[in-house]
Amino acid sequence: MMKTGAEIIWECLEREGVSVVFGYPGGAILPTYDALKHSSIHHVLVRHEQGATHMADGYARASGKVGVAIATSGPGATNMVTGIATAMMDSSPIVCITGQVGSKLIGSDAFQETDITGVTLPVTKHNYLVTHASEIAQTIREAFYIAKSGRPGPVLIDITKDAQQSSCEFDWEGAKPQLPGYRPDLSPEMDEYEKALELIHNSKRPVILAGHGIMMSGATREVIELAERANIPVALTLLGIGALPASHPLNLGMMGMHGEAWVNHTIQDADLLIALGMRFDDRVTGNLSTYAPGAKKIHVEIDPSEINKNVKVDVPLVGDLKDVLDQLLPEVEARERIEWFDYIQKLKGDAAVRDIQNLPDNGHLYAAHVINDIWQQTHGHAIVVTDVGQHQMWEAQYYKHEDPRSLITSGGLGTMGFALPAAIGAKMARPDAEVWVVVGDGGFQMTMPELATLAQEKLKIHIAIINNGYLGMVRQWQEFFYERNYQATPLLNPDFVKLAEAFGIHAVKVDQRKDVIPTVQAAREHDGPVLIDFQVEQEDTVYPMVPAGADLHRMIRRPSPIVETATDA
């Protein structure tokens, strides 16, 4: 059947199971937009191309499917780079389609021409420049296969305008991926399984380190079975939150720079770390030379380039986590670890009395109060999408996630402006889920024009702005490490309530602790999006904190009302 390149694009997306794309039209992609009238795919008109990539990313993280973003050439394509890099760092499967100037104009500095494949080469898993309609079908099929196989990641397809306009025979079956050099289906050798089992069975103080790969592999059930069968406590990375229900007795909580003190001490005192779908990021390990010095390490990871990259391991198991655990679990023996759990319980020490939730009410509204109340009202079952900064860490500490894929946040790149558009993508992927945006007043302003997209799509999303009038995390670093020299961190904010109302979105302001729960309840009952401007204490601090490059167990902790010490040695 003869079709134009533009028609082939939509036909291929439909056959890949795509029902929604996020995009912004422009000259070099207009033939494709013209052909959209023949497609059943729903197009979400964003207000900035960065928003389109974050929406595709949020869609992918919430659903496990490939998200799709679309833009024109030049600035349309370059506006996508931050979103592509965000997806790359967090291994999120998205496909970005960009229009390009006509093939005869490439290299001539034509209007809105940019070498986007060159620009995105370091931040994509793979990318393509397509100059003929006959190449489009196979390229799209390969792009989807690459994006979702092995270690997932973003793929960009740049398609010239003449390739979109010209016609060719469309042959879906004849366009199967042909990637002889791409081998994502690695699996460990049998002796590596035996070495791992020996370490697990001989360990006295093991800890599982649970990462984002657990959700991507769909291995949450297997991880829980491993933890329960061998009786091993589980510490989670930021992106691993949700891999184990927060209420599970083996769940220690988040590790790393802003992890709880007892979690980091447990890791440092372990004799075995079992790293599952995580990459030993510097925010997780602290000083590498003193990281878990007495522990053997097992690393289960689908990307062989991550093995021994940051932390040298004793047993690498390279392969899909679910497949590896399916092979390993039948041989794992039950163990009692009474002394180990007694020790961990003692490590918790006075953490409870340091918790801001347990301090006397001084009349101030703290971010922790807001997030804790949202958690209590939603019982830990909402999808929460955060930006980056203090509120992100408070969310990880005070919202107790019970479900996988329920915390969506930018971990690796740390992208401010991620939350609102990613939440729109997540809601499109899972329309029946309750979705909350938890965002700082700084990051929110980076992509707040997407309020228009939210209103246009009539999505029931709740936005909680943690408004402290600062770029909070930067201010905290200035407080700790730059003698409180608050350069360029105080914010003059707009009236967020009036701003939301200008888009037709219901909005309220809250500055009293007693008003948090009634406002959250009212938002959940409202039939449509709601923005809540929570005006919290300005100079609050995220505790504990491992200073950058410090030993993992040397944390700055919230001063105890009982023991006046600021540093835990």
Side-chain angles (χ1 to χ4, degrees), residues 335-514:
R335 287 286 189 276
E336 288 291 333
R337 307 186 193 276
I338 296 173
E339 292 183 6
W340 182 221
F341 283 100
D342 285 346
Y343 179 68
I344 294 172
Q345 190 61 35
K346 291 177 182 175
L347 287 177
K348 294 186 178 180
D350 64 351
V353 299
R354 293 175 186 259
D355 191 331
I356 195 169
Q357 284 292 122
N358 298 324
L359 297 181
D361 189 346
N362 60 7
H364 295 178
L365 177 62
Y366 291 93
H369 298 151
V370 174
I371 293 166
N372 187 72
D373 287 349
I374 294 174
W375 161 62
Q376 288 193 335
Q377 294 303 305
T378 58
H379 308 290
H381 292 296
I383 293 176
V384 182
V385 188
T386 81
D387 233 73
V388 172
Q390 286 184 311
H391 70 277
Q392 180 190 35
M393 295 298 111
W394 282 315
E395 198 282 346
Q397 294 174 343
Y398 289 97
Y399 193 95
K400 312 300 182 186
H401 289 266
E402 295 295 322
D403 307 311
R405 297 188 181 277
S406 63
L407 171 58
I408 296 175
T409 189
S410 173
L413 195 66
T415 306
M416 293 175 68
F418 174 81
L420 176 59
I424 292 173
K427 186 66 176 179
M428 299 294 289
R430 293 169 57 184
D432 295 333
E434 180 174 353
V435 176
W436 279 83
V437 174
V438 174
V439 63
D441 45 335
F444 181 69
Q445 294 184 65
M446 289 192 171
T447 54
M448 63 186 181
E450 300 304 342
L451 285 173
T453 309
L454 175 61
Q456 187 163 319
E457 293 294 325
K458 299 181 175 60
L459 299 173
K460 183 176 168 59
I461 290 175
H462 315 303
I463 302 168
I465 299 178
I466 307 300
N467 183 353
N468 58 12
Y470 278 107
L471 298 174
M473 188 60 88
V474 184
R475 184 210 58 77
Q476 177 171 329
W477 282 54
Q478 290 172 331
E479 176 186 346
F480 283 176
F481 311 119
Y482 295 90
E483 300 176 337
R484 303 174 73 94
N485 183 16
Y486 295 165
Q487 289 294 325
T489 46
L491 288 167
L492 175 62
N493 290 326
D495 186 324
F496 292 117
V497 171
K498 290 182 178 177
L499 179 77
E501 289 173 344
F503 290 105
I505 295 172
H506 179 62
V508 293
K509 186 176 296 182
V510 173
D511 58 10
Q512 299 291 317
R513 186 173 183 181
K514 64 180 176 58

Side-chain angles (χ1 to χ4, degrees), residues 239-262:
L239 294 183
I241 289 175
L244 191 72
S247 58
H248 195 288
L250 291 174
N251 190 330
L252 289 175
M254 185 174 70
M255 67 181 96
M257 178 174 279
H258 294 294
E260 291 289 355
W262 72 77

